[in-house]
Amino acid sequence: MIIRKAKISDSKQIAPILLLAMEDLIYKFFNKKDYAAAKDFLQYFIERENNQYSYQNCFAAEADNEIISAVNIYNGSDLEALRSPIVEYVRTRFNPDFDPEFETRAGEFYIDSLGVNPKYQGKGIGSKILQFLIDEYVYKNKQTLGLLVEEDNPLAKNLYLKLGFKVVGEKMLVGKKLYHLQIHPN
């Protein structure tokens, strides 16, 4: 498995993988459950630059000429600018009242979403991606990494804690209570 910066040509493969991590959230954006619309929405933004879900903010894990995992990460200080095209798109097409909370802020690189192709789940791929990000951002670049985990997902929370993340607070995002975790450089 190799982990590399995503390319625009990866968008079609990345969209359903990232959607695994954020399907319920996008349904809340739209005020309806529509898998096809959610996947199309995500692919549309992954293919474009300068937005929260852009391929520019993604890494892809590849094995056997297939993307088996993807992660979306960006500087928390950029969230407002990166989210602006998302908010405008959702408001004009799906939900005029869309006004999501800020899930990150300056002071951390934020792991927005991480998904693993279902064929490869349970093989430690998510842990390897997270370790790659920790090595790259925390150890090499002395940055703080942050993420949110749902309170009803203790397996994910325990994985993050095992990798060195610490709970630093709680946040609400589109009506869901989440734990905010971070890992800091030494």
Side-chain angles (χ1 to χ4, degrees):
M1 173 179 86
I2 62 157
I3 301 169
R4 59 171 174 75
K5 283 294 281 178
K7 301 178 285 198
I8 193 169
S9 58
D10 299 326
S11 301
K12 195 170 191 158
Q13 288 184 71
I14 289 174
I17 292 171
L18 287 182
L19 188 56
L20 293 168
M22 54 195 306
E23 191 171 348
D24 290 342
L25 196 63
I26 292 178
Y27 293 160
K28 286 184 180 265
F29 289 6
F30 294 175
N31 278 334
K32 66 178 180 175
K33 283 189 173 188
D34 184 337
Y35 179 84
K39 186 171 77 55
D40 290 348
F41 162 81
L42 209 46
Q43 184 175 332
Y44 175 84
F45 281 104
I46 292 168
E47 289 173 344
R48 280 154 183 77
E49 296 183 354
N50 303 317
N51 74 79
Q52 170 174 15
Y53 305 125
S54 173
Y55 70 91
Q56 297 168 304
N57 301 318
C58 293
F59 285 92
E62 192 173 18
D64 304 321
N65 295 315
E66 178 181 19
I67 293 177
I68 61 171
S69 181
V71 62
N72 177 233
I73 182 171
Y74 46 84
N75 191 328
S77 65
D78 297 335
L79 177 61
E80 193 166 359
L82 292 172
R83 178 177 278 166
S84 180
I86 308 286
V87 170
E88 184 179 322
Y89 186 94
V90 172
R91 283 181 182 163
T92 57
R93 288 172 177 79
F94 298 102
N95 179 358
D97 300 322
F98 183 62
D99 189 23
E101 303 87 340
F102 285 87
E103 67 259 42
T104 185
R105 299 223 184 272
E108 70 178 8
F109 273 79
Y110 178 66
I111 301 171
D112 186 295
S113 50
L114 187 160
V116 177
N117 180 317
K119 293 190 312 192
Y120 296 91
Q121 289 177 357
K123 300 178 192 242
I125 308 252
S127 295
K128 287 177 183 161
I129 298 277
L130 287 165
Q131 193 59 60
F132 166 81
L133 294 173
I134 291 167
D135 291 344
E136 196 66 28
Y137 287 87
V138 179
Y139 299 135
K140 286 183 189 167
N141 294 304
K142 306 296 183 213
Q143 300 290 339
T144 296
L145 275 181
L147 55 81
L148 298 179
V149 63
E150 294 178 20
E151 66 177 346
D152 61 356
N153 193 348
L155 288 176
K157 182 181 173 193
N158 288 337
L159 169 64
Y160 302 139
L161 294 174
K162 189 173 95 176
L163 290 170
F165 285 86
K166 304 267 188 272
V167 177
V168 296
E170 295 178 355
K171 295 200 179 220
M172 291 295 289
L173 184 61
V174 291
K176 287 189 130 177
K177 184 177 163 189
L178 305 153
Y179 294 110
H180 182 202
L181 286 77
Q182 289 184 330
I183 184 170
H184 303 276
N186 293 340

